[in-house]
Amino acid sequence: MTASSTLAVRIIPCLDVDAGRVVKGINFENLRDAGDPVELAHRYNDVGADELTFLDVTASTADRETTYEMVTRTAEEVFIPLTVGGGVRTVEDVAHLLRCGADKASVNTAAVARPQLIDEITHRFGSQVLVLSLDARRTEDPQCASGFEVTTHGGRRGTGVDALQWCREASERGVGEILLNSIDADGTQAGFDLEMLRAVRQVTGVPLIASGGAGKVEHFPAAVDAGADAVLAASMFHFGPQDMIARVKDAVRAAGHPVR
């Protein structure tokens, strides 16, 4: 299967939020402060981001709900699609996020624990509102024939579930997009996991968002070449020059891919 290459490639900054602040680390550890999510959202809206993803990175680990008040304030600052994830466990959680101004909801840990959640959400709201957030890592576990394992709780727990099988199942259940984050590459700025992207692209035609590892503008066209329909990054955009999104779009366009 191939990416929907006729569609414009989307460039998506990610706000990893913990205790009301945007944070970023390496392989989900050694987090450093990147600023106020509302201020960052406003900035990204103004500098040409195509969408914005807001992930409450400790909601599942702390077994609590997403910070709805913060979501509402963030949504008020942006006029681009906003995806929110972290601690989404029920159809009602999704309904609450949509009322707060989110356009899409992202599920990870709760969907792995109970895959029927995907069916319930898409039945009520349609596939277009649901993003499967998949944190995958390399493994030698024989249960994971692909060599890639699904993790939960912000990358802290292995599941023994094969990542490619999970992508296939989630697609069949009707998930609208897959946000594929490489735990091994996350925060390293050494490049996206192209092997993982190509492997997932082979098993699903659902729009695929590449995440984890962006460090240079040339990393983005490579991810699109590997099958991504959208590319997501945090460190590069938070700590880089103000025009980084424009630079990334120029690089993707120069590689022959349409951008917005």
Side-chain angles (χ1 to χ4, degrees):
M1 300 184 188
T2 58
S4 42
S5 55
T6 54
L7 297 175
V9 175
R10 291 166 289 145
I11 310 302
I12 307 174
C14 184
L15 307 178
D16 293 314
V17 180
D18 181 17
R21 300 291 291 178
V22 176
V23 295
K24 193 60 203 170
I26 298 175
N27 308 129
F28 282 60
E29 305 204 335
N30 301 316
L31 301 180
R32 59 174 170 152
D33 190 285
D36 177 79
V38 179
E39 291 175 8
L40 280 171
H42 182 88
R43 187 180 102 197
Y44 288 134
N45 184 82
D46 289 351
V47 298
D50 297 309
E51 296 188 11
L52 192 64
T53 293
F54 177 115
L55 298 178
D56 189 328
V57 294
T58 54
S60 287
T61 309
D63 195 29
R64 60 171 173 76
E65 294 181 327
T66 300
T67 315
Y68 291 112
E69 182 264 342
M70 186 69 71
V71 172
T72 301
R73 289 175 54 215
T74 302
E76 288 170 350
E77 293 297 326
V78 297
F79 301 95
I80 52 178
L82 174 65
T83 299
V84 180
V88 176
R89 298 179 184 86
T90 67
V91 171
E92 282 311 311
D93 289 343
V94 175
H96 198 163
L97 287 175
L98 297 178
R99 287 195 297 271
C100 289
D103 299 280
K104 298 182 242 185
S106 166
V107 294
N108 181 348
T109 299
V112 174
R114 197 173 67 84
Q116 295 86 348
L117 178 62
I118 295 173
D119 307 61
E120 293 164 5
I121 293 171
T122 56
H123 177 73
R124 178 158 168 191
F125 302 108
S127 293
Q128 75 282 353
V129 307
L130 187 60
V131 179
L132 178 74
S133 182
L134 171 55
D135 295 328
R137 67 184 178 195
R138 280 176 158 70
T139 182
E140 296 182 0
D141 185 336
Q143 289 187 89
C144 300
S146 69
F148 298 110
E149 178 188 24
V150 176
T151 70
T152 60
H153 297 81
R156 293 172 180 83
R157 295 188 196 174
T159 62
V161 175
D162 185 293
L164 298 195
Q165 289 181 352
W166 178 225
C167 285
R168 191 182 287 114
E169 178 181 349
S171 300
E172 291 169 354
R173 287 181 180 274
V175 73
E177 290 184 281
I178 295 174
L179 169 54
L180 181 66
N181 185 49
S182 168
I183 296 297
D184 302 311
D186 184 80
T188 64
Q189 300 191 45
F192 294 99
D193 190 327
L194 303 181
E195 182 186 357
M196 185 190 292
L197 276 168
R198 282 190 284 263
V200 171
R201 181 80 283 164
Q202 290 298 312
V203 300
T204 180
V206 167
L208 190 56
I209 306 166
S211 170
K216 301 176 182 176
V217 291
E218 53 264 36
H219 290 156
F220 291 81
V224 180
D225 289 337
D229 300 276
V231 276
L232 177 146
S235 303
M236 251 186 91
F237 296 144
H238 300 339
F239 304 117
Q242 294 273 347
D243 66 344
M244 185 57 77
I245 288 175
R247 293 188 196 185
V248 168
K249 289 192 173 188
D250 287 345
V252 173
R253 188 183 294 112
H257 303 290
V259 294
R260 294 179 182 173

